Coordinates of all heavy atoms in Angstrom, one line a residue:
M1 N 0.8 -1.2 0.0 CA 0.0 0.0 0.0 C 0.9 1.2 0.0 O 1.9 1.3 0.6 CB -0.9 0.0 1.2 CG -1.8 1.1 1.3 SD -3.0 1.0 2.7 CE -3.6 -0.6 2.5
K2 N 0.4 2.2 -0.7 CA 1.2 3.5 -0.8 C 1.5 4.1 0.5 O 2.5 4.8 0.6 CB 0.5 4.4 -1.8 CG 0.7 4.2 -3.2 CD 2.1 4.7 -3.6 CE 2.1 4.9 -5.1 NZ 3.3 5.5 -5.6
F3 N 0.6 4.0 1.5 CA 0.9 4.8 2.7 C 2.0 4.2 3.5 O 2.4 4.7 4.5 CB -0.3 5.1 3.5 CG -1.1 4.0 4.2 CD1 -0.5 3.2 5.1 CD2 -2.4 3.8 3.8 CE1 -1.2 2.2 5.8 CE2 -3.1 2.8 4.5 CZ -2.6 2.0 5.4
D4 N 2.6 3.0 3.0 CA 3.8 2.6 3.6 C 4.9 3.5 3.4 O 5.9 3.6 4.1 CB 4.2 1.2 3.0 CG 3.2 0.1 3.5 OD1 2.6 0.3 4.6 OD2 3.1 -0.9 2.8
D5 N 4.8 4.4 2.3 CA 5.8 5.4 2.0 C 5.8 6.6 3.0 O 6.7 7.4 3.0 CB 5.6 5.9 0.6 CG 5.8 4.8 -0.4 OD1 6.5 3.8 -0.1 OD2 5.4 4.9 -1.6
V6 N 4.7 6.7 3.7 CA 4.5 7.9 4.6 C 5.4 7.6 5.8 O 5.3 6.5 6.5 CB 3.1 8.1 5.1 CG1 2.9 9.2 6.1 CG2 2.2 8.3 3.8
I7 N 6.3 8.5 6.2 CA 7.2 8.4 7.3 C 6.4 8.6 8.6 O 5.6 9.5 8.7 CB 8.3 9.4 7.2 CG1 9.1 9.2 5.9 CG2 9.2 9.4 8.4 CD1 10.1 10.2 5.5
G8 N 6.7 7.7 9.6 CA 6.2 7.8 10.9 C 4.7 7.4 10.9 O 4.3 6.6 10.1
N9 N 4.0 7.9 11.9 CA 2.5 7.6 12.0 C 2.3 6.1 12.1 O 1.3 5.6 11.6 CB 1.7 8.2 10.9 CG 1.8 9.7 10.8 OD1 1.3 10.4 11.7 ND2 2.5 10.2 9.8
E10 N 3.2 5.3 12.7 CA 3.1 3.9 12.7 C 1.8 3.4 13.3 O 1.2 2.4 12.8 CB 4.3 3.2 13.4 CG 5.6 3.6 12.6 CD 5.6 3.1 11.2 OE1 5.0 2.1 10.8 OE2 6.2 3.9 10.3
E11 N 1.4 4.0 14.5 CA 0.2 3.5 15.1 C -1.0 3.7 14.2 O -1.9 2.8 14.2 CB 0.0 4.2 16.4 CG 0.8 3.7 17.6 CD 0.4 4.4 18.9 OE1 -0.8 4.5 19.2 OE2 1.4 4.7 19.6
V12 N -1.1 4.9 13.6 CA -2.2 5.2 12.7 C -2.2 4.2 11.5 O -3.2 3.7 11.1 CB -2.1 6.6 12.2 CG1 -3.3 6.9 11.3 CG2 -2.2 7.6 13.4
K13 N -1.0 4.0 10.9 CA -0.9 3.1 9.8 C -1.4 1.7 10.2 O -2.1 1.0 9.4 CB 0.5 3.1 9.2 CG 0.8 4.4 8.5 CD 2.0 4.4 7.7 CE 3.3 4.3 8.5 NZ 4.5 4.5 7.7
D14 N -0.9 1.2 11.4 CA -1.3 -0.1 11.8 C -2.9 -0.2 12.0 O -3.5 -1.2 11.6 CB -0.7 -0.4 13.2 CG 0.8 -0.8 13.0 OD1 1.2 -1.1 11.9 OD2 1.5 -0.8 14.1
Y15 N -3.4 0.9 12.5 CA -4.9 0.9 12.7 C -5.6 0.8 11.4 O -6.6 0.1 11.2 CB -5.3 2.2 13.5 CG -6.8 2.4 13.5 CD1 -7.5 1.7 14.5 CD2 -7.4 3.2 12.6 CE1 -8.9 1.9 14.6 CE2 -8.8 3.4 12.7 CZ -9.5 2.7 13.6 OH -10.9 2.9 13.7
L16 N -5.1 1.6 10.4 CA -5.7 1.6 9.1 C -5.6 0.3 8.4 O -6.5 -0.2 7.8 CB -5.2 2.7 8.3 CG -5.4 4.2 8.8 CD1 -4.7 5.2 7.9 CD2 -6.9 4.5 8.8
R17 N -4.4 -0.3 8.5 CA -4.2 -1.6 7.9 C -5.1 -2.7 8.5 O -5.7 -3.5 7.8 CB -2.7 -2.1 8.2 CG -1.8 -1.5 7.2 CD -0.4 -2.2 7.4 NE 0.6 -1.4 6.9 CZ 1.4 -0.6 7.6 NH1 1.4 -0.6 8.9 NH2 2.3 0.2 7.1
K18 N -5.3 -2.7 9.8 CA -6.2 -3.6 10.5 C -7.7 -3.4 10.0 O -8.4 -4.3 9.9 CB -6.1 -3.5 12.0 CG -4.8 -4.1 12.5 CD -4.6 -4.0 14.0 CE -3.3 -4.6 14.4 NZ -2.9 -4.2 15.7
S19 N -8.0 -2.1 9.9 CA -9.4 -1.8 9.4 C -9.6 -2.4 8.0 O -10.7 -3.0 7.7 CB -9.6 -0.3 9.3 OG -9.5 0.3 10.5
L20 N -8.6 -2.3 7.2 CA -8.7 -2.9 5.8 C -8.7 -4.4 5.9 O -9.6 -5.1 5.2 CB -7.5 -2.5 4.9 CG -7.5 -1.0 4.6 CD1 -6.1 -0.6 4.0 CD2 -8.6 -0.6 3.7
E21 N -7.9 -5.0 6.7 CA -7.8 -6.5 6.8 C -9.1 -7.0 7.3 O -9.6 -8.1 6.9 CB -6.7 -6.9 7.8 CG -5.3 -6.7 7.2 CD -4.2 -6.9 8.2 OE1 -4.5 -7.3 9.4 OE2 -3.1 -6.6 7.9
N22 N -9.7 -6.3 8.3 CA -11.0 -6.8 8.9 C -12.2 -6.3 8.1 O -13.3 -6.6 8.6 CB -11.0 -6.3 10.3 CG -10.0 -6.9 11.2 OD1 -9.5 -8.0 10.9 ND2 -9.5 -6.1 12.2
K23 N -12.0 -5.6 7.0 CA -13.1 -5.0 6.2 C -14.0 -4.2 7.2 O -15.2 -4.3 7.1 CB -13.8 -6.1 5.5 CG -12.9 -6.8 4.5 CD -13.8 -7.8 3.7 CE -12.9 -8.7 2.8 NZ -11.9 -8.2 2.0
N24 N -13.4 -3.5 8.0 CA -14.1 -2.6 9.0 C -13.8 -1.2 8.7 O -13.1 -0.5 9.5 CB -13.8 -3.0 10.4 CG -14.6 -2.3 11.4 OD1 -15.7 -1.8 11.1 ND2 -14.1 -2.1 12.6
I25 N -14.2 -0.7 7.6 CA -13.8 0.7 7.1 C -15.0 1.6 7.5 O -16.1 1.3 7.1 CB -13.5 0.7 5.6 CG1 -12.4 -0.3 5.4 CG2 -13.2 2.1 5.2 CD1 -12.2 -0.6 3.9
L26 N -14.7 2.6 8.2 CA -15.7 3.6 8.7 C -16.1 4.5 7.6 O -15.4 4.7 6.6 CB -15.2 4.3 9.9 CG -14.7 3.4 11.1 CD1 -14.2 4.3 12.2 CD2 -15.9 2.6 11.5
H27 N -17.2 5.2 7.7 CA -17.7 6.1 6.7 C -16.9 7.4 6.6 O -16.9 8.1 5.6 CB -19.2 6.4 6.8 CG -19.5 7.3 7.9 ND1 -19.6 6.9 9.2 CD2 -19.7 8.7 8.0 CE1 -19.9 7.9 10.0 NE2 -20.0 9.0 9.3
S28 N -16.1 7.8 7.7 CA -15.3 8.9 7.6 C -14.2 8.8 8.7 O -14.3 8.0 9.6 CB -16.1 10.2 7.9 OG -16.7 10.2 9.2
Y29 N -13.1 9.5 8.5 CA -12.0 9.6 9.4 C -11.5 11.0 9.6 O -11.6 11.8 8.7 CB -10.8 8.8 8.8 CG -11.0 7.3 8.7 CD1 -11.7 6.7 7.7 CD2 -10.6 6.4 9.8 CE1 -11.9 5.3 7.6 CE2 -10.8 5.1 9.7 CZ -11.5 4.5 8.7 OH -11.7 3.2 8.6
L30 N -11.1 11.3 10.8 CA -10.4 12.6 11.1 C -9.0 12.3 11.3 O -8.6 11.5 12.1 CB -11.1 13.2 12.3 CG -12.5 13.6 12.2 CD1 -13.0 14.1 13.6 CD2 -12.7 14.7 11.2
F31 N -8.1 13.1 10.6 CA -6.7 13.0 10.8 C -6.3 14.3 11.4 O -6.2 15.4 10.8 CB -6.0 12.8 9.5 CG -6.2 11.4 8.9 CD1 -7.4 11.1 8.2 CD2 -5.3 10.4 9.0 CE1 -7.6 9.9 7.7 CE2 -5.5 9.2 8.5 CZ -6.7 8.9 7.8
L32 N -6.0 14.3 12.7 CA -5.7 15.5 13.5 C -4.3 15.5 14.0 O -3.8 14.4 14.3 CB -6.7 15.7 14.6 CG -8.2 15.7 14.3 CD1 -9.0 15.6 15.6 CD2 -8.5 16.9 13.5
G33 N -3.6 16.6 14.1 CA -2.3 16.7 14.7 C -1.5 17.8 14.2 O -2.0 18.7 13.5
T34 N -0.3 17.9 14.7 CA 0.7 18.9 14.3 C 0.9 19.0 12.8 O 0.9 18.0 12.2 CB 2.0 18.6 15.0 OG1 1.8 18.5 16.4 CG2 3.0 19.8 14.8
E35 N 1.1 20.2 12.3 CA 1.3 20.4 10.9 C 2.7 19.8 10.5 O 3.6 19.8 11.3 CB 1.4 21.9 10.6 CG 1.4 22.2 9.1 CD 1.2 23.7 8.8 OE1 0.5 24.3 9.6 OE2 1.8 24.1 7.9
G36 N 2.7 19.1 9.4 CA 3.9 18.6 8.8 C 4.3 17.2 9.2 O 5.4 16.8 9.0
I37 N 3.3 16.5 9.8 CA 3.7 15.1 10.2 C 3.1 14.0 9.3 O 3.2 12.8 9.6 CB 3.1 14.8 11.7 CG1 1.6 14.9 11.7 CG2 3.8 15.7 12.7 CD1 1.0 14.4 13.0
G38 N 2.6 14.5 8.1 CA 2.1 13.5 7.1 C 0.7 13.1 7.2 O 0.3 12.1 6.5
K39 N -0.1 13.9 7.9 CA -1.5 13.5 8.0 C -2.3 13.5 6.7 O -3.0 12.6 6.4 CB -2.3 14.5 8.9 CG -1.8 14.5 10.4 CD -2.6 15.6 11.2 CE -2.6 16.9 10.6 NZ -1.3 17.7 10.6
L40 N -2.1 14.6 5.9 CA -2.8 14.7 4.6 C -2.3 13.6 3.7 O -3.2 13.0 3.0 CB -2.5 16.1 4.0 CG -3.2 16.4 2.7 CD1 -4.8 16.2 2.8 CD2 -2.9 17.8 2.2
K41 N -1.1 13.4 3.6 CA -0.6 12.4 2.7 C -1.2 11.0 3.0 O -1.6 10.2 2.2 CB 0.9 12.3 2.6 CG 1.5 11.3 1.7 CD 3.0 11.4 1.5 CE 3.4 10.4 0.5 NZ 4.8 10.4 0.2
L42 N -1.1 10.7 4.3 CA -1.7 9.4 4.8 C -3.2 9.3 4.5 O -3.7 8.3 4.0 CB -1.4 9.3 6.3 CG -1.8 8.0 7.0 CD1 -1.1 6.8 6.3 CD2 -1.3 8.0 8.4
A43 N -3.9 10.4 4.8 CA -5.3 10.4 4.6 C -5.6 10.2 3.1 O -6.5 9.4 2.7 CB -5.9 11.7 5.1
K44 N -4.9 10.9 2.2 CA -5.1 10.7 0.8 C -4.8 9.3 0.3 O -5.6 8.8 -0.5 CB -4.3 11.8 0.0 CG -4.9 13.2 0.2 CD -4.0 14.2 -0.5 CE -4.2 14.2 -2.0 NZ -3.5 15.3 -2.6
E45 N -3.7 8.8 0.7 CA -3.3 7.4 0.3 C -4.3 6.4 0.8 O -4.7 5.5 0.0 CB -1.9 7.1 0.8 CG -0.8 7.9 0.1 CD -0.8 7.7 -1.4 OE1 -1.2 6.7 -1.9 OE2 -0.4 8.7 -2.1
F46 N -4.8 6.6 2.0 CA -5.8 5.6 2.5 C -7.1 5.7 1.7 O -7.7 4.7 1.3 CB -6.0 5.9 4.0 CG -7.1 5.0 4.6 CD1 -6.8 3.6 4.8 CD2 -8.3 5.4 5.0 CE1 -7.7 2.8 5.4 CE2 -9.2 4.6 5.6 CZ -8.9 3.3 5.8
A47 N -7.6 6.9 1.6 CA -8.8 7.1 0.8 C -8.7 6.6 -0.6 O -9.6 6.0 -1.2 CB -9.2 8.6 0.8
K48 N -7.6 6.9 -1.2 CA -7.3 6.5 -2.6 C -7.4 5.0 -2.7 O -8.0 4.4 -3.6 CB -6.0 7.0 -3.1 CG -5.7 6.7 -4.6 CD -4.4 7.2 -5.0 CE -4.1 6.8 -6.4 NZ -2.7 7.3 -6.8
F49 N -6.8 4.3 -1.7 CA -6.8 2.8 -1.7 C -8.2 2.3 -1.5 O -8.6 1.4 -2.2 CB -5.9 2.4 -0.5 CG -5.7 0.9 -0.5 CD1 -4.7 0.2 -1.2 CD2 -6.6 0.1 0.3 CE1 -4.6 -1.1 -1.2 CE2 -6.4 -1.3 0.4 CZ -5.5 -1.9 -0.4
V50 N -8.9 2.9 -0.6 CA -10.3 2.4 -0.3 C -11.2 2.6 -1.5 O -12.0 1.7 -1.8 CB -10.8 3.1 1.0 CG1 -12.3 2.8 1.1 CG2 -10.1 2.6 2.2
L51 N -11.1 3.7 -2.2 CA -12.0 4.1 -3.2 C -11.6 3.5 -4.6 O -12.4 3.6 -5.6 CB -12.1 5.6 -3.3 CG -12.8 6.2 -2.1 CD1 -12.6 7.7 -2.1 CD2 -14.2 5.8 -2.0
C52 N -10.4 3.0 -4.7 CA -10.0 2.4 -6.0 C -10.9 1.4 -6.5 O -11.4 0.5 -5.8 CB -8.6 1.8 -5.9 SG -8.0 1.1 -7.5
Q53 N -11.2 1.4 -7.8 CA -12.1 0.4 -8.4 C -11.4 -0.8 -8.9 O -12.1 -1.8 -9.4 CB -12.8 1.1 -9.6 CG -13.6 2.3 -9.2 CD -14.1 3.2 -10.3 OE1 -13.4 3.3 -11.3 NE2 -15.1 4.0 -10.1
N54 N -10.1 -0.9 -8.8 CA -9.3 -2.1 -9.3 C -8.5 -2.7 -8.2 O -7.4 -3.1 -8.4 CB -8.4 -1.7 -10.5 CG -9.2 -1.4 -11.7 OD1 -10.3 -1.9 -11.9 ND2 -8.7 -0.4 -12.5
N55 N -9.0 -2.7 -7.0 CA -8.3 -3.2 -5.8 C -6.9 -2.6 -5.7 O -6.0 -3.3 -5.3 CB -8.2 -4.8 -6.0 CG -9.5 -5.4 -5.9 OD1 -10.4 -5.0 -5.1 ND2 -9.7 -6.4 -6.8
S56 N -6.8 -1.4 -6.0 CA -5.6 -0.6 -5.8 C -4.3 -1.2 -6.4 O -3.3 -1.4 -5.8 CB -5.3 -0.4 -4.3 OG -6.4 0.4 -3.7
E57 N -4.5 -1.6 -7.7 CA -3.3 -2.1 -8.4 C -2.3 -1.0 -8.5 O -2.5 0.2 -8.4 CB -3.8 -2.4 -9.8 CG -4.7 -3.6 -9.9 CD -5.3 -3.8 -11.3 OE1 -4.9 -3.0 -12.2 OE2 -6.0 -4.7 -11.5
E58 N -1.0 -1.4 -8.7 CA 0.1 -0.5 -8.9 C -0.2 0.4 -10.1 O -0.6 -0.2 -11.2 CB 1.4 -1.2 -9.0 CG 2.6 -0.4 -8.9 CD 2.9 0.1 -7.5 OE1 2.4 -0.6 -6.5 OE2 3.5 1.1 -7.3
N59 N 0.0 1.7 -10.1 CA -0.2 2.6 -11.2 C -1.6 2.4 -11.8 O -1.7 2.4 -13.0 CB 0.9 2.4 -12.2 CG 2.2 2.6 -11.7 OD1 2.5 3.6 -10.9 ND2 3.2 1.8 -12.0
C60 N -2.6 2.3 -11.0 CA -4.0 2.1 -11.5 C -4.5 3.4 -12.2 O -4.1 4.5 -11.8 CB -4.9 1.8 -10.3 SG -6.6 1.5 -10.8
N61 N -5.2 3.2 -13.2 CA -5.8 4.3 -14.0 C -7.3 4.3 -14.0 O -8.0 4.7 -14.9 CB -5.3 4.3 -15.4 CG -3.9 4.7 -15.5 OD1 -3.5 5.7 -14.9 ND2 -3.1 4.1 -16.4
C62 N -7.9 3.7 -12.9 CA -9.4 3.7 -12.8 C -9.8 5.1 -12.6 O -9.1 6.0 -12.3 CB -9.8 2.8 -11.7 SG -9.6 3.5 -10.0
K63 N -11.1 5.3 -12.8 CA -11.7 6.7 -12.7 C -11.4 7.3 -11.3 O -11.0 8.5 -11.2 CB -13.2 6.6 -13.0 CG -13.8 8.0 -12.9 CD -15.3 7.9 -13.3 CE -16.0 9.3 -13.3 NZ -17.4 9.2 -13.5
S64 N -11.5 6.5 -10.3 CA -11.3 7.0 -8.9 C -9.8 7.5 -8.7 O -9.6 8.6 -8.2 CB -11.7 5.9 -7.9 OG -11.4 6.4 -6.6
C65 N -8.9 6.6 -9.2 CA -7.5 7.0 -9.0 C -7.1 8.2 -9.9 O -6.4 9.1 -9.4 CB -6.6 5.8 -9.4 SG -6.7 4.5 -8.1
L66 N -7.7 8.3 -11.0 CA -7.4 9.4 -11.9 C -8.0 10.7 -11.3 O -7.3 11.8 -11.3 CB -8.0 9.2 -13.3 CG -7.3 8.2 -14.1 CD1 -8.1 8.0 -15.4 CD2 -5.9 8.5 -14.4
C67 N -9.1 10.6 -10.6 CA -9.7 11.8 -9.9 C -8.8 12.2 -8.8 O -8.5 13.4 -8.5 CB -11.1 11.5 -9.3 SG -12.4 11.4 -10.6
F68 N -8.2 11.2 -8.0 CA -7.3 11.6 -7.0 C -6.0 12.2 -7.5 O -5.5 13.2 -7.0 CB -6.8 10.3 -6.2 CG -7.7 10.1 -4.9 CD1 -8.7 9.2 -4.9 CD2 -7.4 10.9 -3.8 CE1 -9.5 9.1 -3.8 CE2 -8.2 10.7 -2.7 CZ -9.2 9.8 -2.6
E69 N -5.5 11.7 -8.6 CA -4.3 12.3 -9.2 C -4.6 13.7 -9.7 O -3.7 14.5 -9.7 CB -3.8 11.4 -10.4 CG -3.3 10.0 -10.0 CD -2.2 10.1 -8.9 OE1 -1.3 10.9 -9.0 OE2 -2.2 9.3 -8.0
G70 N -5.8 14.0 -10.1 CA -6.2 15.3 -10.5 C -6.7 16.2 -9.4 O -7.2 17.3 -9.7
N71 N -6.5 15.7 -8.2 CA -7.0 16.5 -7.0 C -8.5 16.9 -7.1 O -8.8 18.0 -6.8 CB -6.1 17.7 -6.8 CG -4.8 17.3 -6.4 OD1 -4.6 16.3 -5.6 ND2 -3.8 18.1 -6.8
N72 N -9.3 16.0 -7.6 CA -10.7 16.3 -7.9 C -11.6 15.1 -7.6 O -12.5 14.8 -8.4 CB -10.8 16.8 -9.3 CG -12.2 17.4 -9.5 OD1 -12.8 17.9 -8.6 ND2 -12.6 17.4 -10.8
H73 N -11.4 14.4 -6.5 CA -12.2 13.3 -6.2 C -13.5 13.7 -5.5 O -13.3 14.4 -4.4 CB -11.5 12.2 -5.4 CG -12.1 10.9 -5.4 ND1 -13.4 10.6 -4.8 CD2 -11.8 9.7 -6.1 CE1 -13.7 9.4 -5.1 NE2 -12.8 8.8 -5.8
P74 N -14.7 13.4 -5.9 CA -15.9 13.9 -5.3 C -16.1 13.4 -3.9 O -16.9 14.0 -3.2 CB -17.0 13.5 -6.3 CG -16.4 12.3 -7.0 CD -14.9 12.6 -7.1
D75 N -15.5 12.2 -3.6 CA -15.8 11.6 -2.3 C -14.7 11.9 -1.2 O -14.7 11.3 -0.2 CB -16.0 10.1 -2.4 CG -17.2 9.8 -3.2 OD1 -18.2 10.6 -3.1 OD2 -17.2 8.8 -3.9
F76 N -13.7 12.7 -1.6 CA -12.6 13.1 -0.6 C -12.7 14.6 -0.4 O -12.5 15.4 -1.3 CB -11.3 12.7 -1.2 CG -10.1 12.9 -0.2 CD1 -9.8 12.0 0.7 CD2 -9.4 14.1 -0.3 CE1 -8.8 12.2 1.6 CE2 -8.4 14.3 0.6 CZ -8.1 13.4 1.5
L77 N -12.9 14.9 0.8 CA -13.0 16.3 1.2 C -12.0 16.6 2.4 O -12.1 15.9 3.4 CB -14.4 16.7 1.6 CG -14.6 18.1 2.0 CD1 -14.4 19.1 0.9 CD2 -16.0 18.3 2.5
C78 N -11.2 17.5 2.2 CA -10.2 17.9 3.3 C -10.6 19.3 3.8 O -10.8 20.2 3.0 CB -8.8 17.9 2.7 SG -7.6 18.3 3.9
I79 N -10.7 19.4 5.1 CA -11.0 20.7 5.7 C -9.9 21.0 6.7 O -9.5 20.2 7.6 CB -12.3 20.6 6.5 CG1 -13.4 20.1 5.6 CG2 -12.6 21.9 7.2 CD1 -14.7 19.7 6.3
N80 N -9.2 22.2 6.5 CA -8.1 22.5 7.4 C -8.6 23.4 8.6 O -9.8 23.7 8.7 CB -7.0 23.2 6.6 CG -7.4 24.6 6.1 OD1 -8.3 25.2 6.5 ND2 -6.6 25.1 5.2
E81 N -7.7 23.8 9.4 CA -8.1 24.5 10.6 C -8.7 25.8 10.4 O -9.4 26.4 11.2 CB -6.9 24.6 11.6 CG -5.8 25.7 11.1 CD -4.9 25.1 10.1 OE1 -5.0 23.9 9.7 OE2 -4.0 25.8 9.7
R82 N -8.5 26.4 9.2 CA -9.2 27.7 8.9 C -10.5 27.4 8.2 O -11.1 28.3 7.6 CB -8.2 28.5 8.0 CG -7.0 28.9 8.7 CD -6.1 29.7 7.8 NE -4.8 29.9 8.4 CZ -3.7 29.2 8.1 NH1 -3.8 28.3 7.2 NH2 -2.6 29.4 8.8
R83 N -10.9 26.2 8.3 CA -12.2 25.8 7.7 C -12.3 26.0 6.2 O -13.3 26.2 5.6 CB -13.4 26.4 8.4 CG -13.4 26.0 9.8 CD -14.6 26.6 10.5 NE -14.5 26.2 11.9 CZ -15.5 26.4 12.8 NH1 -16.6 26.9 12.4 NH2 -15.4 26.0 14.0
R84 N -11.1 25.9 5.6 CA -11.1 26.0 4.1 C -11.3 24.6 3.7 O -10.6 23.6 4.1 CB -9.8 26.5 3.6 CG -9.6 28.0 3.8 CD -8.4 28.5 3.1 NE -8.1 29.8 3.6 CZ -6.9 30.3 3.7 NH1 -5.9 29.5 3.4 NH2 -6.7 31.5 4.2
C85 N -12.2 24.4 2.7 CA -12.4 23.1 2.2 C -11.8 23.0 0.8 O -11.8 23.9 0.0 CB -13.9 22.8 2.0 SG -14.8 22.9 3.5
Y86 N -11.2 21.8 0.5 CA -10.7 21.6 -0.8 C -10.8 20.1 -1.1 O -10.8 19.3 -0.2 CB -9.3 22.2 -1.0 CG -8.3 21.7 0.0 CD1 -7.5 20.6 -0.3 CD2 -8.1 22.3 1.2 CE1 -6.5 20.2 0.6 CE2 -7.2 21.9 2.1 CZ -6.4 20.8 1.8 OH -5.5 20.4 2.7
K87 N -10.8 19.8 -2.4 CA -10.9 18.4 -2.8 C -9.6 17.8 -2.7 O -8.6 18.4 -2.4 CB -11.4 18.4 -4.2 CG -12.8 19.0 -4.4 CD -13.8 18.0 -3.9 CE -15.2 18.6 -4.1 NZ -16.3 17.6 -3.8
S88 N -9.5 16.5 -3.0 CA -8.3 15.7 -2.9 C -7.2 16.5 -3.6 O -6.1 16.3 -3.5 CB -8.5 14.4 -3.5 OG -8.8 14.4 -4.9
Ligands
LIG1 ZN1 -7.7 2.7 -9.1

């Protein structure tokens, strides 16, 4: 999984991996913490993996993955502390 490339956040990554293994994926997640620790990258990689239409193949070009690559996925919404919303 791509989020293996995210440095640190081991407890969070373990939690997310177990959620996937147990097929216990929640309808939303909050990634909170200090700026610059990889929250956004981890959140995007997790969401991209979950939403992929081809079981998250390497270099997948499904519609969902292409939307993520274009920072325009309709099911991924990021809200920062200033309450600015933006898409993937
Ligand atoms: Zn895909």
Side-chain angles (χ1 to χ4, degrees):
M1 183 177 309
K2 279 279 201 176
F3 68 63
D4 289 336
D5 297 340
V6 177
I7 298 170
N9 299 293
E10 297 304 324
E11 279 186 45
V12 177
K13 289 191 289 189
D14 286 345
Y15 173 81
L16 295 175
R17 279 190 202 100
K18 286 178 185 166
S19 295
L20 293 169
E21 288 170 9
N22 297 330
K23 300 188 187 312
N24 185 25
I25 300 166
L26 304 177
H27 73 280
S28 64
Y29 290 86
L30 293 174
F31 291 78
L32 306 171
T34 307
E35 189 172 327
I37 61 171
K39 297 180 305 291
L40 180 58
K41 183 172 182 174
L42 185 56
K44 287 175 75 173
E45 292 300 333
F46 180 70
K48 184 177 176 184
F49 184 87
V50 169
L51 295 169
C52 177
Q53 298 166 336
N54 290 329
N55 297 319
S56 296
E57 296 172 355
E58 193 73 26
N59 300 318
C60 181
N61 284 321
C62 75
K63 183 177 180 182
S64 178
C65 288
L66 291 175
C67 285
F68 265 100
E69 295 303 320
N71 293 323
N72 193 25
H73 199 290
D75 294 328
F76 183 85
L77 180 64
C78 182
I79 303 170
N80 70 16
E81 72 277 2
R82 293 181 191 98
R83 298 184 183 192
R84 289 188 192 144
C85 301
Y86 55 95
K87 298 283 184 171
S88 61

